[in-house]
Amino acid sequence: MSRSLFATMMKNKGKTVISFTLGSIFYLSLVIWLYPSIADSKAFDTMFKEMPEGLMSAFGFNEGINSLSGFVAGEYYGLLFIIILLIYCVTTATQLIVRLVDQGSMAYLLSSGLSRFKIAMTQIAVILLGLIFIIVITTISGVAGANIFIEEGNFNAAHFIELNIVTFMLFFVISGYCFFFSCLFNDEKKTLSVAGGISFIFFAVDMVSKISDKLDWMQYFTIFSTFRATEIAQGSVNILPICIGLGVTGIVLYFAAVIIFNRRDLPL
């Protein structure tokens, strides 16, 4: 890994990472702050009971809103946080490799004596460090927010931490295939469309698979089937095999990306 390149890229991407982190903190804090009023509202309780079971399951509310952990998992980790991290992974992976190739900056890096392997490993460190920072600060904010805004003891910090661990492992894989496409293509727009399109399809297929039992077979065609936020937040899921599977998949994707970047011809 190149320390000078790492420092430069972290400086360039620092504002982006901070922006995503602040956005995550704001929305999570808002969800936690709103929970008491929603949990005590008969109108919301009636609305959730009258919603179709498939729709409740799709948005992670199949267990209701009896606990803050389940509510945060369904309301925030089931949609908003997923979108925030998807945008981060797709845009950052694209900017770290293919944008440099597309704009001709990669030629200057290679002419400075840096090997392709060092460049790739440095950029991997940049995207993963940013991802870790966002999730760690979000985890700390969630635990702190629950202690500040919630009086009842219906928030399990240990299970919330487990939820964030699985979240990182999931996006370790997603960032892996985004980085793979960034190393595979020469065109920035093409990389954005492919990485973003596949991510959207995965997410949409997962939502559809939850709506009806007749469609649950679709869960085998999306990576999001490993991410059951509500169940994890309630402690009913053993996250170890999930994390091992996602970890191995992510390592394979990053390894394949580095190999392709090392071996293919670049339009320099």
Side-chain angles (χ1 to χ4, degrees), residues 28-260:
L28 178 58
S29 300
L30 182 63
V31 169
I32 294 174
W33 178 66
L34 289 174
Y35 173 74
S37 59
I38 293 177
D40 296 335
S41 173
K42 294 183 179 180
F44 275 103
D45 185 57
T46 302
M47 180 188 71
F48 279 115
K49 289 181 180 179
E50 292 180 352
M51 287 178 65
E53 183 177 348
L55 191 61
M56 291 280 287
S57 178
F59 286 97
F61 290 119
N62 48 307
E63 302 295 332
I65 53 173
N66 297 322
S67 70
L68 174 61
S69 298
F71 180 73
V72 168
E75 180 67 23
Y76 187 64
Y77 284 79
L79 182 61
L80 289 175
F81 200 32
I82 294 295
I83 293 175
I84 290 174
L85 294 180
L86 277 177
I87 295 174
Y88 168 77
C89 288
V90 172
T91 57
T92 304
T94 302
Q95 293 168 0
L96 290 177
I97 295 292
V98 72
R99 173 175 288 186
L100 300 179
V101 175
D102 197 12
Q103 295 181 349
S105 302
M106 186 63 69
Y108 294 101
L109 287 177
L110 294 174
S111 64
S112 67
L114 289 176
S115 66
R116 294 190 185 190
F117 179 79
K118 279 190 175 183
I119 293 174
M121 295 304 295
T122 301
Q123 304 298 58
I124 289 173
V126 171
I127 189 173
L128 290 182
L129 185 60
L131 183 62
I132 291 172
F133 183 84
I134 294 171
I135 293 178
V136 168
I137 299 302
T138 298
T139 304
I140 295 173
S141 300
V143 175
N147 290 328
I148 293 173
F149 297 119
I150 307 299
E151 296 181 358
E152 299 85 358
N154 61 358
F155 180 79
N156 191 305
H159 293 158
F160 180 70
I161 293 173
E162 289 183 352
L163 174 60
N164 282 277
I165 291 173
V166 178
T167 301
F168 169 75
M169 298 309 298
L170 172 67
F171 281 91
F172 176 57
V173 175
I174 292 174
S175 64
Y177 70 67
C178 290
F179 191 79
F180 175 84
F181 291 126
S182 186
C183 292
L184 180 64
F185 301 126
N186 297 325
D187 184 81
E188 182 180 353
K189 292 181 179 179
K190 183 177 182 180
T191 304
L192 276 172
S193 61
V194 173
I198 289 177
S199 300
F200 174 78
I201 291 172
F202 278 160
F203 186 68
V205 169
D206 180 63
M207 295 287 287
V208 172
S209 69
K210 296 176 183 176
I211 293 177
S212 172
D213 292 338
K214 296 180 180 179
L215 299 174
D216 59 1
W217 56 270
M218 297 178 70
Q219 65 182 303
Y220 300 108
F221 299 94
T222 170
I223 190 176
F224 286 101
S225 61
T226 61
F227 188 67
R228 292 293 179 258
T230 304
E231 289 85 348
I232 295 172
Q234 293 175 343
S236 58
V237 175
N238 180 10
I239 70 168
L240 182 59
I242 297 175
C243 290
I244 292 175
L246 291 174
V248 171
T249 304
I251 291 173
V252 170
L253 286 169
Y254 275 112
F255 183 73
V258 173
I259 291 177
I260 288 178

